[in-house]
Amino acid sequence: MAPLRTPSAVRTSAPAPPSPVSGAPGPERLAERMTDRRHQVLMAGLSEAGLYDLDPEDGEAVRAPADRLDEPTVRRVAHWLSVAGGRR
């Protein structure tokens, strides 16, 4: 009987780590986008209320509640502004 040959070095390849999905935003970027969206909704509500000539300082004043409020609350406030603007 012939002896069994065993390879002196067995090559094993570890599975490659999963590559990150390109274009998928991280949690920080998603939070930033949501804050920007809430700011945009509030600014649109102010426009509907007839406030068009806003200073950069006004934009920052709008950003403060946009940072703290959730999306449904921001939409409700924008709706109130829109309704108030329609009563002029």
Side-chain angles (χ1 to χ4, degrees):
M1 214 171 170
L4 294 174
R5 293 185 189 186
T6 57
S8 59
V10 177
R11 292 183 185 170
T12 59
S13 62
S19 62
V21 178
S22 68
E28 300 85 22
R29 178 67 183 135
L30 183 60
E32 179 183 338
R33 286 180 59 203
M34 290 304 294
T35 299
D36 289 344
R37 175 70 185 133
R38 290 189 300 266
H39 179 263
Q40 188 178 33
V41 167
L42 287 174
M43 293 298 285
L46 289 171
S47 292
E48 287 291 320
L51 300 171
Y52 303 108
D53 298 326
L54 298 175
D55 295 329
E57 186 177 284
D58 297 325
E60 288 304 313
V62 171
R63 189 163 297 282
D67 289 343
R68 291 174 183 84
L69 298 175
D70 61 357
E71 184 76 16
T73 304
V74 167
R75 289 183 178 280
R76 178 50 87 190
V77 170
H79 172 73
W80 293 338
L81 292 169
S82 178
V83 169
R87 292 185 185 163
R88 293 184 285 146

